[in-house]
Amino acid sequence: MLLDPTTLLLGCAALIACAALTASFVRWPVWGIGLYTAVQLWQAQQNMRQSLPDAGLDLVPTDVLTVCLLVAALIIFRGNRGRRAPALLVALLVLTACALVRGFGLFGVQTAGNEARTNFIQLFCVALFIAVLSPGRNLVRAVTLIWVLAACALSCIALLWWLHFGIGSNSDRIVVDGVLTGARPVNAAETLIIGQAATILLCGRGSGRGRTLAWLLLVVVVLAQHRTVWLAVGTMIMGWLLSRRRQTGSRAGALGVLGSLSMVSLLAVSWGTTDGVISSLAASSEDDRTLVWRMEGWHALLPRLEEMPDWVLGLPFGSGYDRVINGSFIAFAPHNYYVEVLLRLGLLGVAVLLLVYATAWRAAGADSEHRLMLRLLICSQLVYMIAYSLTAEQAVILGLLAVCARPRSAPRPPTLQESPCPTKPRSSPASPARTARI
């Protein structure tokens, strides 16, 4: 089939653009992390579909960025041959590739690729890019800045929504531009970013303005009304308060909580919606229908693992998540990343994923400056994955944890010529050199 000149020109331009992006990511890795995070959040706000079943594989900007980041990761790794590879992330990518190839043969490239690309391919490829970077204070500082900026942007979006539509519970529905949608301005994944940014600010050695911003972000987390995120962020705050108690007591933490609650009350009174906010929060906290519905879905999916190879390696991508709950046909992924990894990568995949967090937890103990922050971020993802899939933007945190879990190469002892302060041989009083000076 002959290609027309327009298609050929656009293809060449796309290749040049991808090559330029890859080169920029190799030269400025922080730029790549920030660009991917911004584009991923923009896609979520635009409700951009990840796939079109009728048209096959529909590429979105993050798919292109993922390929560029993966190539950049390979270039960075080959340029630093003395650095060890993040073996656990590589193992997850190998397991994903095996399940993907099996799915290609059974269900076709489009079906298997659409199912694997977001929560597996994008997640592990972006995490691998961050994991091959040089660990240290600069990387943590860059991720901190990106996460705080993203949290502030999402909080502004939420504030504008609430000013226009009001604060709704997790079960409320409103009509926006003629479409019935949920009453919450940010989804659970975006709310988790806000809570993680607040915890990062609390764990840092910033000024009082940083602590104030952290508590404001926590107010947004409360008003966003995602109960799983409440649990994840509450776990992080509890860990932070316990660490403060060991050092200077929990008085500062208690005053911060009291101040944040007072600010929520003040905002509610100023908007004239005190009763509405309280009733909305109560409705979200008391509603247990979602949890029961999810547990029934997990129970319906697990019997698909019939034989021992299915339990060990999982089912191929493209198998789908079709199930019937309360007479309704459900086709989307289970709201539990542990179950999702078990179904696609088997018990081996679940073990490798948990090993990433276990080794990161152990390695964080040697980092006196960032130990608390890293361990609280680990707790946030472990709790979040109970009720949601680990989304692609969380690859930044997963990659940061994999950097900590990566084994360090043993330093080679410097030779006399390479040593910055070589020890000069001492001459005895009877040496020829000493005799000559005399």
Side-chain angles (χ1 to χ4, degrees), residues 228 289-299 335 387-388:
T228 303
R289 293 172 295 177
T290 304
L291 178 60
V292 174
W293 177 84
R294 289 174 179 173
M295 294 180 66
E296 291 178 356
W298 306 336
H299 186 266
H335 284 271
Y388 289 99

Side-chain angles (χ1 to χ4, degrees), residues 5 34 44 65 128 130 164 295 322 400 435:
L65 291 177
L128 180 66
I130 301 172
H164 188 66
M295 294 180 66
D322 299 343
L400 183 64
T435 306

Side-chain angles (χ1 to χ4, degrees), residues 2-217:
L2 296 177
L3 296 177
D4 58 278
T6 303
T7 304
L8 187 60
L9 181 62
L10 291 177
C12 293
L15 289 176
I16 294 174
C18 290
L21 274 176
T22 303
S24 67
F25 295 161
V26 174
R27 181 66 179 84
W28 303 289
V30 176
W31 148 253
I33 300 172
L35 179 63
Y36 179 84
T37 304
V39 173
Q40 176 66 29
L41 294 177
W42 172 76
Q43 284 182 184
Q45 284 296 316
Q46 297 296 322
N47 292 323
M48 189 173 294
R49 297 185 64 179
Q50 292 295 314
S51 63
L52 295 176
D54 297 333
L57 194 64
D58 180 40
L59 294 178
V60 291
T62 50
D63 294 322
V64 179
L65 291 177
T66 299
V67 175
C68 296
L69 289 171
L70 178 60
V71 175
L74 297 177
I75 295 175
I76 293 173
F77 177 71
R78 287 187 61 85
N80 298 272
R81 298 194 176 185
R83 186 179 302 169
R84 296 187 182 181
L88 296 176
L89 279 181
V90 173
L92 288 173
L93 278 172
V94 170
L95 291 174
T96 301
C98 293
L100 196 59
V101 171
R102 291 158 54 204
F104 288 164
L106 294 175
F107 307 103
V109 175
Q110 296 175 354
T111 303
N114 284 334
E115 189 178 276
R117 56 196 238 168
T118 303
N119 296 339
F120 289 89
I121 298 177
Q122 285 190 17
L123 178 68
F124 297 146
C125 287
V126 176
L128 180 66
F129 169 76
I130 301 172
V132 299
L133 301 178
S134 299
R137 183 180 302 178
N138 292 335
L139 180 60
V140 175
R141 187 178 302 170
V143 172
T144 298
L145 179 60
I146 292 170
W147 233 234
V148 171
L149 291 177
C152 292
L154 293 171
S155 299
C156 292
I157 293 173
L159 180 60
L160 293 175
W161 174 283
W162 289 326
L163 290 174
H164 188 66
F165 298 105
I167 299 175
S169 69
N170 63 333
S171 58
D172 291 340
R173 296 291 183 270
I174 60 175
V175 178
V176 180
D177 297 332
V179 179
L180 187 64
T181 184
R184 294 175 291 187
V186 288
N187 58 33
E190 295 166 341
T191 308
L192 180 63
I193 291 177
I194 300 174
Q196 289 173 335
T199 305
I200 290 173
L201 289 173
L202 290 176
C203 294
R205 299 178 180 178
S207 60
R209 288 179 295 182
R211 295 291 174 86
T212 302
L213 177 59
W215 292 116
L216 290 175
L217 294 177

